[in-house]
């Protein structure tokens, strides 16, 4: 049976409420429990208290008073009688002690006579303030709850000494019994208690030695942990030294750099903004935007680097871009970095210097006299290139048809147009007509090319007419119109016609610049100029340009 089932059976057999200790004792005597355990009284108390606590009116056992339980089926008279009774109605039997030697009977009155006067009733000790202990709601309160669980060896020793003295006195006063015999019996009883106390002390010493061993093991484990931490710290120091050596080696390798490498610190800076923004109508794009950034920085006051958002704010103020400056920051950053990459690939000095998320002009790193001389040289180079391009266009107009087609075919091949062939368009004898395929990576597009080398200006009607004749160019999907003259505004407006085939227009200046970039018909020479090496000084931790400052974000009056 379980403890609660055994309790119900015992209460029915007795017919009245009992203390839980008495219930446990009877259940053990009658062998009702399927499992007794080491502390059956505590287990019985816990099971009964739990049943009463969870009772919803259907539990067979009810609590009469602390520690006393009865059956719900008992009559009210039985329950009331049990409530009026004092005490637990049960006292635990004393623990078994060593069997003492037989001693002469002594009247209780002699004990009373030997005891000092006034000791009939021990004075009551002041009660300790009640303290609610854990589990009080589960285990009922009992009279002996304040007693210590483990016996006090010192108190037991003192009490044993008193009892031995009393027995010796009784032994001396017994009639018909020798004095030595009483003392022997007292000594034998004392030796028995001494042996018990010695065993308790040995057990206490064993426990203390066990605790000492555990503390020693804990100390050893702590030392092992400390040694492990020391080894880990040593490995961390080794890793730090390895990283420092690798960083120094990488810095040394960076000094043997090429012109095509860009080590601007701004490249590692994250630019916040709207990366999915689409350009609004009238916004500058590509090279026009990079030129606008250059002009804005060149005309700004103080020659101070600015963040990409600060540059975008200048362009919004100048109506070059529209929208929020923070959202436009990625657009400005892309234009600046693409311009630097394009110039580096062409073996030109980059115009912009990007450091720590700020952008400035490379010319700001130069002494004032050197910067002025550079501007004068660039202006002179621009004038020289303009003269060379105009001269080139005049020579192109003077070429015979075969020479013109050969020159333009060479340039078209460098632009990725292959498979060129002549196309005959009925009713049009003014220009030259070619068909081919434009290759851009994996993309293939059939292309029609219309060439006017006599300086004809291209207007809206010419664009519309060329679009209508695309079927003559072997089902071309795109059209290039090239002229040594000018492209009128009406032709550029026609480019945006919805649903129409895409058209690319080259005027005289655009054709000369395209052929100059391709190195066909025009040759570009680089003028040697000397500058501070930004990569070298950046590797050494010193920027060649002015360092960004907090006031760089102040508004510009220009």
């Amino acid at each position: 049976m379980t403890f609660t089932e055994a309790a119900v059976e015992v209460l029915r057999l007795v017919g009245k409420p009992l203390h839980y200790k008495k219930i446990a004792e009877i259940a053990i005597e009658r062998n009702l429990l399927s499992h007794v355990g080491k502390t059956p009284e505590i287990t019985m108390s816990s099971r009964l208290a739990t049943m009463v606590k969870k009772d919803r009116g259907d539990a067979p056992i009810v609590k009469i008073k602390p520690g006393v339980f009865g059956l719900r089926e008992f009559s009210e008279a039985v329950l009331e009688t049990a409530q009026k009774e004092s005490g637990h109605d049960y006292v635990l039997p004393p623990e078994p002690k060593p069997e003492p030697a037989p001693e002469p009977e002594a009247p209780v009155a002699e004990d009373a006579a030997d005891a000092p006067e006034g000791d009939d009733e021990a004075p009551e000790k002041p009660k300790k303030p009640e303290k609610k202990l854990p589990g009080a709601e589960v285990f009922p309160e009992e009279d002996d709850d304040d007693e210590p669980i483990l016996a006090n060896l010192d108190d037991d020793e003192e009490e044993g000494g008193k009892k031995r003295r009393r027995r010796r006195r009784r032994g001396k006063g017994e009639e018909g019994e020798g004095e030595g015999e009483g003392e022997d019996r007292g000594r034998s009883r004392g030796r028995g208690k001494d042996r018990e106390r010695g065993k308790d002390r040995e057990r206490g010493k064993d426990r203390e030695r066990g605790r000492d061993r555990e503390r020693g093991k804990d100390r050893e484990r702590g030392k092992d942990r400390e040694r492990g931490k020391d080894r880990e710290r040593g490995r961390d120091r080794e890793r730090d030294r390895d990283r420092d050596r690798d960083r120094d080696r990488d810095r040394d390798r960076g000094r043997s750099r090429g012109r095509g490498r860009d080590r601007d610190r701004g490249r590692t800076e994250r630019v916040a903004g709207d990366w999915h923004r689409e350009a609004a109508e009238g916004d500058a794009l590509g090279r026009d935007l990079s030129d606008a950034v250059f002009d804005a920085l060149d005309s700004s006051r103080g020659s101070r680097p600015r963040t990409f958002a600060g540059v975008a704010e200048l362009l919004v103020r100048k109506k070059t871009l529209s929208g929020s400056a923070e959202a436009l920051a990625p657009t400005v950053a892309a234009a600046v970095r693409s311009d630097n990459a394009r110039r580096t690939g062409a073996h030109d000095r980059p115009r912009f210097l990007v450091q720590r998320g700020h952008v400035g002009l490379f010319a700001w790193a130069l002494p004032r006299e050197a910067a002025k001389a550079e501007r004068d040289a660039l202006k002179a180079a621009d004038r020289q290139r303009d003269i060379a391009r105009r001269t080139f266009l005049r020579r192109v107009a003077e070429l015979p048809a075969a020479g013109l087609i050969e020159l333009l075919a060479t340039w078209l091949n460098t632009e990725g147009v292959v498979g060129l062939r002549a196309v005959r368009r009925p009713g049009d004898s003014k220009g030259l007509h070619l068909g081919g395929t434009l290759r851009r990576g994996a993309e293939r597009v059939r292309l029609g090319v219309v060439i006017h080398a006599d300086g004809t200006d291209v207007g809206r009607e010419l664009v519309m007419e060329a679009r209508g004749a695309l079927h003559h160019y072997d089902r071309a999907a795109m059209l290039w119109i090239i002229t040594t003259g000018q492209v009128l505004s009406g032709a550029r407006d026609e480019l945006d016609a919805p649903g129409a085939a895409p058209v690319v227009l080259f005027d005289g200046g655009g054709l000369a610049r395209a052929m100059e970039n391709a190195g066909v018909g025009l040759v570009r020479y680089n003028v040697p100029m000397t500058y501070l090496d930004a990569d070298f000084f950046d590797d050494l931790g010193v920027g060649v340009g002015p360092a960004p400052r907090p006031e760089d974000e102040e508004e510009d009056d220009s």
Side-chain angles (χ1 to χ4, degrees), residues 36 121 222 500 517:
V36 178
E121 293 182 2
N517 292 332

Side-chain angles (χ1 to χ4, degrees), residues 329-349:
T331 303
V332 175
V336 168
R337 289 182 172 131
S338 62
D339 186 84
N340 279 355
R342 184 169 55 250
R343 288 177 171 270
T344 302
H347 302 289
D348 287 341
R349 191 261 297 162

Side-chain angles (χ1 to χ4, degrees), residues 129-270:
E130 296 183 358
K131 181 179 179 182
K132 191 172 181 181
L133 300 175
E137 65 277 3
V138 178
F139 296 95
E141 183 180 1
E142 301 176 11
D143 294 339
D144 58 349
D145 284 345
D146 294 334
E147 295 295 330
I149 296 175
L150 300 177
N152 192 321
L153 299 179
D154 296 336
D155 294 343
D156 289 346
E157 186 175 356
E158 184 179 354
E159 185 65 25
K162 289 180 180 179
K163 290 182 179 180
R164 284 196 300 275
R165 287 193 292 274
R166 290 194 187 112
R167 291 194 186 98
R168 281 197 294 272
R169 286 197 296 271
R170 284 199 299 271
K172 292 178 181 179
E174 275 293 324
E175 293 181 0
E177 186 176 292
E179 181 177 346
E181 185 179 354
E183 291 178 358
D184 291 339
R185 281 199 298 271
R187 279 194 293 270
S188 64
R189 287 193 294 271
R191 282 193 294 271
K193 289 193 174 290
D194 290 340
R195 282 193 295 270
E196 290 297 324
R197 284 193 293 273
K199 291 179 182 179
D200 291 339
R201 281 194 293 271
E202 288 298 326
R203 285 192 290 269
K205 290 179 181 178
D206 291 339
R207 287 193 294 271
E208 186 64 29
R209 283 193 290 269
R211 284 193 289 269
D212 290 340
R213 284 193 295 270
E214 289 297 326
R215 285 193 289 268
K217 292 179 181 178
D218 291 339
R219 284 193 293 271
E220 288 298 326
R221 284 193 289 268
K223 292 178 181 178
D224 291 340
R225 283 194 294 271
E226 287 298 325
R227 284 192 289 269
K229 290 179 181 177
D230 291 338
R231 287 193 295 270
E232 187 64 27
R233 283 192 288 268
R235 285 194 291 268
D236 289 341
R237 286 192 292 269
E238 288 294 329
R239 283 194 291 269
D240 291 340
R241 283 195 290 268
D242 291 341
R243 280 196 296 269
D244 292 339
R245 285 195 295 268
D246 293 341
R247 188 165 53 249
D248 295 339
R249 189 164 51 249
D250 292 340
R251 185 181 297 115
D252 293 338
R253 290 174 182 171
R255 290 170 184 169
S256 58
R257 65 229 160 270
R259 294 296 301 274
R261 295 178 59 189
D262 185 0
R263 287 183 171 271
D264 290 336
R265 294 182 183 177
R267 183 176 291 276
T268 61
E269 297 287 340
R270 294 184 61 187

Side-chain angles (χ1 to χ4, degrees), residues 535-552:
D535 285 346
F536 182 83
F537 283 95
D538 191 39
D539 288 339
L540 297 178
V542 180
V544 300
R549 293 170 296 182
E551 59 269 21
D552 293 346

Side-chain angles (χ1 to χ4, degrees), residues 264-285:
D264 290 336
R265 294 182 183 177
R267 183 176 291 276
T268 61
E269 297 287 340
R270 294 184 61 187
V271 181
D274 186 4
W275 289 93
H276 303 286
R277 174 185 174 275
E278 294 184 1
E281 185 177 358
D283 283 357
L285 300 173

